[in-house]
């Protein structure tokens, strides 16, 4: 079913040499951003790119069952607010892709599902669209999701490579987004053939951007986690929300390892298989460090029970990423089925502990740490 979206990137699982059938580029040439986006999709679909560490940490927690919940399941209210828009459920599509025609079709399918089901949605990095405006259409999904929160996305490191408030405004304006999220992906950049590795002085630049921007600025990790100390610094800098994006899901070192023809970084990647702070720990730390922050919990969430645990630990929203990719490629129906299942699992967990709404879930004392 994947060929419905014409994914044409192929790569050797031996030497990890990569060739794009559209451009004819071969290893040793510096690939363009569009080609890299295609490779990322293909690798995330077909390779084992999960981290090998402690997992998400959600398995350390159990809800204590309530035999008499005193709740009508059909009356459970999962609605919430984000960026002055109402959500039917406290879920978000994580920032994933863009920059190619195939990625554009994936984004449209995700946006249509998010609109139908009442989820927020993040877009993939818009650096490709800033560099090449002809790719902007692959991110422009507002017409398909007119009522949900939509996040534009840029790498924070680009603030050290010539990007400033004007580029950030362009990212928000070209997508009609409600906010901009800056992603922190230092280790991915380090292991990426084309990576930008200067992360010095970024906190001051993020703070300046928060002062200058007329739209909300958030910050997210990409799968190794934001701890409490970092969250506190980001909040002091003025960010409007924090997506902890902890370990336990996709490791972008593993993704870049599959792309790389560099023997050194491929071998070094093995030493980082267990790198990162588990998602559950990131959420709890961030909420404790910044009690008033708006927190998004992402990083390897497998189901609606994980989402309920994330919210009980302190997240305001739970975000899903790679688990949505294959269903989005398969069909709108398959994606809709997954959205429905995740929502049902969340509500069933709430029913099982007697939580009738999101406030009661977030304040529950029935989530127990097992060790």
């Amino acid at each position: 079913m994947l060929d419905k979206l014409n994914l044409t990137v192929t790569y050797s699982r031996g030497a990890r040499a990569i060739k794009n059938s559209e451009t004819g580029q071969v290893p040793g040439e510096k690939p363009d951003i569009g080609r890299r986006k295609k490779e990322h999709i293909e690798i995330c679909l077909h390779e084992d790119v999960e981290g090998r560490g402690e997992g998400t940490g959600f398995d350390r927690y159990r809800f204590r069952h309530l035999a008499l919940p005193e709740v009508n399941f059909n009356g459970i209210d999962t609605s919430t607010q984000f960026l002055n828009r109402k959500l039917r459920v406290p879920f978000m599509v994580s920032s994933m892709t863009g920059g190619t025609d195939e990625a554009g079709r994936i984004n449209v399918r995700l946006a249509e599902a998010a609109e139908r089901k009442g989820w927020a949605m993040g877009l993939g990095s818009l650096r490709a669209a800033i560099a090449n405006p002809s790719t902007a259409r692959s991110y422009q999904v507002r017409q398909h999701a007119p009522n949900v929160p939509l996040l534009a996305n840029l790498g924070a490191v680009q603030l050290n490579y010539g990007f400033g408030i004007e580029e950030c405004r362009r990212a928000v304006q070209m997508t009609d987004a409600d906010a901009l999220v800056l992603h922190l992906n230092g280790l991915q950049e380090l292991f990426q053939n084309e990576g930008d590795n200067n992360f010095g002085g970024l906190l001051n630049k993020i703070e300046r951007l928060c002062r200058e921007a007329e739209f909300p600025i958030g910050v997210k990790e990409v799968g190794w986690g934001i701890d409490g100390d970092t969250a506190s610094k980001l909040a002091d800098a003025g960010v409007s929300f924090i997506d902890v994006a902890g370990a336990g899901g996709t490791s972008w070192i593993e993704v870049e390892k599959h792309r790389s023809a560099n023997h050194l970084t491929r071998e070094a990647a093995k030493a980082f298989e267990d790198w990162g702070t588990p998602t559950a720990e990131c959420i709890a730390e961030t909420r404790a460090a910044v009690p008033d922050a708006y927190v998004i919990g992402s990083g390897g969430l497998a189901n609606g029970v994980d989402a309920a645990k994330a919210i009980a630990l302190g997240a305001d929203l739970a975000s899903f990423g790679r688990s949505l990719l294959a269903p989005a490629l398969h069909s709108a129906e398959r994606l809709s089925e997954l959205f429905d299942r995740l929502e049902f699992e969340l509500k069933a967990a709430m029913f099982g502990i007697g939580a009738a709404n999101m406030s009661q879930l977030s304040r529950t004392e029935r989530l127990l740490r097992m060790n």
Side-chain angles (χ1 to χ4, degrees), residues 94-105:
S94 288
S95 302
M96 282 191 282
T97 193
T100 69
D101 290 342
E102 292 85 357
R105 287 189 281 272

Side-chain angles (χ1 to χ4, degrees), residues 67-345:
L68 186 62
E70 294 286 350
V71 168
N72 178 355
F73 179 81
N74 293 328
I76 290 176
D77 181 8
T78 58
S79 65
T80 189
Q81 296 273 337
F82 181 42
L83 299 174
N84 296 317
R85 291 181 184 265
K86 186 173 181 178
L87 296 174
R88 197 178 85 186
V89 287
F91 290 168
M92 186 170 80
V93 177
S94 288
S95 302
M96 282 191 282
T97 193
T100 69
D101 290 342
E102 292 85 357
R105 287 189 281 272
I106 292 170
N107 280 336
V108 167
R109 201 167 268 175
L110 290 167
E112 289 173 343
E115 177 71 17
R116 286 195 306 271
K117 304 300 182 181
W119 291 34
M121 180 172 175
L123 298 168
S125 172
L126 280 133
R127 180 185 173 191
I130 300 296
N132 181 4
S134 68
T135 67
R137 64 183 181 275
S138 67
Y139 302 91
Q140 291 169 337
V141 298
R142 177 55 87 188
Q143 63 180 324
H144 304 285
N147 297 303
V148 302
L150 189 64
L151 305 183
N153 173 19
L154 287 171
V157 73
Q158 297 310 313
L159 299 177
N160 279 341
Y161 290 86
F163 278 38
I165 184 61
E166 290 308 318
E167 288 75 18
C168 293
R169 284 188 178 123
R170 285 169 59 191
V172 170
Q173 291 168 359
M174 74 171 60
T175 56
D176 193 17
D178 297 288
L180 175 70
V181 63
L182 299 172
H183 64 263
L184 302 174
N185 65 333
L187 285 176
Q188 181 189 9
E189 295 284 351
L190 188 63
F191 279 81
Q192 188 179 99
N193 295 331
E194 319 87 342
D196 295 321
N197 303 328
N198 179 13
F199 275 68
L202 281 181
L203 184 62
N204 287 338
K205 292 183 178 179
I206 291 170
E207 183 174 11
R208 186 182 314 127
L209 189 64
C210 289
R211 291 197 305 266
E212 294 175 339
E214 61 277 6
F215 43 82
I217 302 287
V219 172
K220 74 183 299 293
E221 237 283 350
V222 300
W224 296 291
I226 290 177
D227 61 19
D229 181 58
T230 304
S232 182
K233 292 176 181 177
L234 290 169
D236 289 344
V239 304
S240 297
F241 56 93
I242 297 168
D243 184 341
V244 300
T250 303
S251 166
W252 284 93
I253 292 176
E254 289 296 302
V255 173
E256 297 300 344
K257 180 184 75 175
H258 287 292
R259 295 184 61 241
S260 180
N262 184 314
H263 178 74
L264 185 152
T265 54
R266 287 203 315 273
E267 290 299 308
K270 298 174 184 177
F272 290 83
E273 289 179 346
D274 62 351
W275 195 268
T277 306
T279 299
E281 186 176 332
C282 290
I283 295 169
E285 277 195 29
T286 295
R287 177 54 67 206
V290 197
D292 297 327
Y294 195 97
V295 179
I296 300 171
S298 70
L301 276 68
N303 49 54
V305 179
D306 280 353
K309 291 177 181 179
I311 292 165
L313 285 166
D316 295 286
L317 289 185
S319 190
F320 297 86
R322 187 164 58 95
S323 62
L324 307 180
L325 187 56
L329 281 162
H330 186 281
S331 66
E333 292 74 19
R334 184 70 62 84
L335 187 61
S336 183
E337 289 172 3
L338 177 56
F339 275 44
D340 286 342
R341 176 174 65 78
L342 294 170
E343 180 179 349
F344 175 79
E345 290 166 347

